[in-house]
Amino acid sequence: MGDFNLALVIVAIVVCVIVFISSIYLLVNYQHPDDANQAYFPKFVVVFGLSIAMISILMLPADVANRHACRHAIYNGACNLTLPMKDLWLAVYIVDAILVFFVIPFAMFFYEGDQDKAVGKRIKSALIWVGTTAVVCALVLGILYGVIGKVDFSVRHLASATTTFPTSWQFSNNQPCIGNNARQCSAFTANVTSEKTWTMRTTFPEYVVALATIVGSVLFTIFGGVGIACLPLGLITAFIRRPKAVITRSQYIKEATELGKKARELKKAADGLHQEERSGAKGRKWRKNVKAVEKELLQLEEDVNLLEEMYPQGEKAETAWAFTVLGYLAKFILGILGLIVSIAWVAHIIIYLLVDPPLSPFLNEVFIKLDDVWGLLGTAAFAFFCFYLLLAVIAGAMMLGLKLVFITIHPMKWGATLMNSFLFNVGLILLSSISVIQFCATAFGYYAQATAAQEIFGHTLQSLRGIKYLYKYNVFQIGFVILAGLTFLYYIAFGWRRKKPSGRFQLSS
C-alpha cells in the first residue's frame, strides 16, 4: 500500500511538471508577435491559469486512483497515508476563483490600458476596477454565506424500545431484528413524519466553490450544450464545404482585389473608432461598432486563409495543396470520432442522469471494464471525456461569439493570439473547469464513488440551501441536452451550406 501511495505521489509530481511545460508551449506558439519580449505578467497569469485548469481536470482521475490506494490495505490506518484530496480540491478551486474573479481581470485591464500612459497609472486604473469588483464580491459572498450558507440533509429519525441483550442470535425471515417476535425493524415501521431535515453550516471555502460552480454551470450549460454538437459537426461541415479544386489566376486576382478593398474599409473604420476613443466618446454605440469591426476582421482573415488554400503559390504549390486536402480529410475523421464521443455523452446524460432510476451505468461500466484490462486505461478514458467537455465549451463560446452581437470574440489562433484573448479564454476555461468536474463527478458517480470530489460536489453542493433545487430537478443537464439538440438541428438544416460573402463593410454613423 505504501509503495502504491509513493508511486501515486511521483506520478502526480511528473504530471504537474508536464502540465506546466505544456502551458508554456501553448503560450509560446499561440502568442502574437507583438507580445514577444513584453507583457510578462499577463503571460505568467496565462501559464499559471492553464496549469491550474489542466491539473483540476486531472485531479478527478487522481482522486479515483487515490481511492484505490488503501483498497487492499492490511491495517486500519492505511487510508491516512493517501493524498489529502479534499484539501487539495479546496485549495485548487479557491485559487481558481481568485484567478477568475481578481487576477485575470486585473491582468486584462492592465494589458488593455492606454499604452501612452505610465505603468503606474495603468496599474492604478486596473487596481481600481479590480478593487471595486473585490468589494462587491466580498459583500455578496459574506451576505449570502451569513444568510443561507447552510446545507439541509434529509434524515429519518428512528427510535425503538430497549430490550434485554440476547444470549444467542437467531435471525430469520420471520424475525429479522432483536426482540421477541420482532417481525419488523424500527426502520420499516417508522411513519412518514419521522423524516426530518438536518441543518448544518458549511465551511466558507466549500461555499465559495459552490457559488463559483453555479456561475460556471450556467456558462457550461450554454457553451457546452452548443459546443458538444458544433465541435464535431463544425469539423464535418468544414470538410463538406472544402475547396474542391484550385482556382485560376484571374479568379484569384479578382477575389484578392475585393479582399483588399474590404481591408481598406476596415482600416478606415478602425482609425475612426480609435479617434472616438481618444476623444472620450466611448458609448454604447461605439462598443457595438467595435464588436462589428472585430467580427468583420475575423471574417476577413478567414476569407484570406481560404483564398490562400484555393490558390497556393510558390515552388511547393502542389505540396501545399496536397497538405490542404489531407488537412480537410483529418478534420472529417476527427469530426466523425468527435461525433461518436458527443453522442455517447448525450446518451449517457439521458440514460444515467435524467432517467430515474438510471437505465444503465453505461460509460461508468465501460471505464470499470477498461480498468480491468489495464489499471490506468479506464482512468485515461475518464480524463479524455472530461477534457472533451472543456473543448466543447471553448467551441461553443466561439460559435456563439460569431452569431451573437453581445458576446465578445476572443479567437485563439496559432501565432496570432493577443494576451487579452489569451486571458479571456483562460478565464473561461478556469470557470468552466469547476463545472466540468462537478458534472463529471455526477455523471460518473458510479465510477467515481467514495471520492473526495463526490463529497464536495455531490453531498454538500446538492444539499446547499437555495441551490440544491437546481440539481434536484436536473436543470443544468436538461438545458445541456436541449441546446445540444437544437444545435444539431441547426447544423442539419444550415451547416452544410456554403457561407455567402459578407459584402462590403459599412460602419453605421
Side-chain angles (χ1 to χ4, degrees), residues 56-248:
S56 65
I57 294 295
L58 293 172
M59 276 181 65
L60 189 52
D63 201 349
V64 174
N66 194 62
R67 180 197 62 191
H68 292 297
C70 58
R71 183 171 55 180
H72 303 296
I74 59 176
Y75 60 95
N76 293 331
C79 288
N80 295 330
L81 300 179
T82 56
L83 294 175
M85 290 306 302
K86 185 173 181 180
D87 294 334
L88 290 175
W89 276 119
L90 294 176
V92 165
Y93 284 118
I94 290 296
V95 172
D96 193 311
I98 293 173
L99 283 172
V100 169
F101 296 108
F102 302 109
V103 178
I104 289 179
F106 172 80
M108 290 186 69
F109 286 130
F110 176 77
Y111 178 82
E112 294 178 347
D114 193 344
Q115 300 295 324
D116 296 334
K117 292 182 179 180
V119 176
K121 290 185 176 180
R122 290 167 60 192
I123 293 176
K124 181 181 178 182
S125 177
L127 284 175
I128 290 173
W129 281 103
V130 175
T132 304
T133 305
V135 170
V136 173
C137 289
L139 288 174
V140 171
L141 282 174
I143 293 172
L144 289 177
Y145 181 71
V147 176
I148 57 173
K150 299 177 182 179
V151 287
D152 298 322
F153 296 106
S154 296
V155 295
R156 185 179 291 275
H157 179 75
L158 302 179
S160 64
T162 59
T163 185
T164 306
F165 197 81
T167 56
S168 62
W169 305 94
Q170 295 180 355
F171 295 110
S172 64
N173 292 332
N174 294 327
Q175 187 174 340
C177 304
I178 299 174
N180 295 326
N181 300 322
R183 295 182 177 276
Q184 283 188 318
C185 299
S186 300
F188 295 96
T189 58
N191 54 35
V192 179
T193 58
S194 65
E195 184 172 322
K196 300 183 181 299
T197 300
W198 178 36
T199 300
M200 61 179 293
R201 183 169 292 279
T202 184
T203 63
F204 186 71
E206 288 181 338
Y207 193 73
V208 172
V209 172
L211 291 187
T213 303
I214 292 299
V215 176
S217 295
V218 174
L219 297 177
F220 169 75
T221 301
I222 298 172
F223 294 143
V226 172
I228 200 75
C230 77
L231 178 59
L233 294 178
L235 295 173
I236 294 173
T237 53
F239 173 79
I240 295 174
R241 297 185 304 203
R242 71 191 186 282
K244 302 298 191 298
V246 178
I247 62 175
T248 62

Side-chain angles (χ1 to χ4, degrees), residues 162-342:
T162 59
T163 185
T164 306
F165 197 81
T167 56
S168 62
W169 305 94
Q170 295 180 355
F171 295 110
S172 64
N173 292 332
N174 294 327
Q175 187 174 340
C177 304
I178 299 174
N180 295 326
N181 300 322
R183 295 182 177 276
Q184 283 188 318
C185 299
S186 300
F188 295 96
T189 58
N191 54 35
V192 179
T193 58
S194 65
E195 184 172 322
K196 300 183 181 299
T197 300
W198 178 36
T199 300
M200 61 179 293
R201 183 169 292 279
T202 184
T203 63
F204 186 71
E206 288 181 338
Y207 193 73
V208 172
V209 172
L211 291 187
T213 303
I214 292 299
V215 176
S217 295
V218 174
L219 297 177
F220 169 75
T221 301
I222 298 172
F223 294 143
V226 172
I228 200 75
C230 77
L231 178 59
L233 294 178
L235 295 173
I236 294 173
T237 53
F239 173 79
I240 295 174
R241 297 185 304 203
R242 71 191 186 282
K244 302 298 191 298
V246 178
I247 62 175
T248 62
R249 181 175 177 79
S250 60
Q251 288 177 311
Y252 172 77
I253 293 174
K254 179 181 177 182
E255 294 292 337
T257 302
E258 289 295 324
L259 291 178
K261 186 186 299 183
K262 184 177 180 180
R264 288 190 293 272
E265 293 175 355
L266 276 173
K267 185 178 184 303
K268 182 179 178 181
D271 291 339
L273 291 172
H274 188 62
Q275 290 178 0
E276 290 182 18
E277 181 184 16
R278 288 186 173 277
S279 64
K282 294 172 61 176
R284 181 178 179 183
K285 195 171 186 179
W286 180 86
R287 289 191 295 270
K288 182 179 179 181
N289 287 333
V290 168
K291 291 180 181 179
V293 170
E294 288 177 347
K295 292 186 178 183
E296 287 291 336
L297 181 60
L298 185 61
Q299 184 63 51
L300 178 64
E301 291 177 354
E302 291 182 358
D303 292 342
V304 170
N305 293 333
L306 182 60
L307 185 61
E308 291 176 350
E309 289 180 352
M310 297 175 68
Y311 190 78
Q313 303 180 58
E315 297 179 356
K316 299 181 179 180
E318 293 182 0
T319 304
W321 175 251
F323 275 111
T324 298
V325 174
L326 291 175
Y328 279 104
L329 184 61
K331 286 183 178 182
F332 178 72
I333 295 173
L334 291 175
I336 294 297
L337 295 176
L339 185 60
I340 294 173
V341 175
S342 294

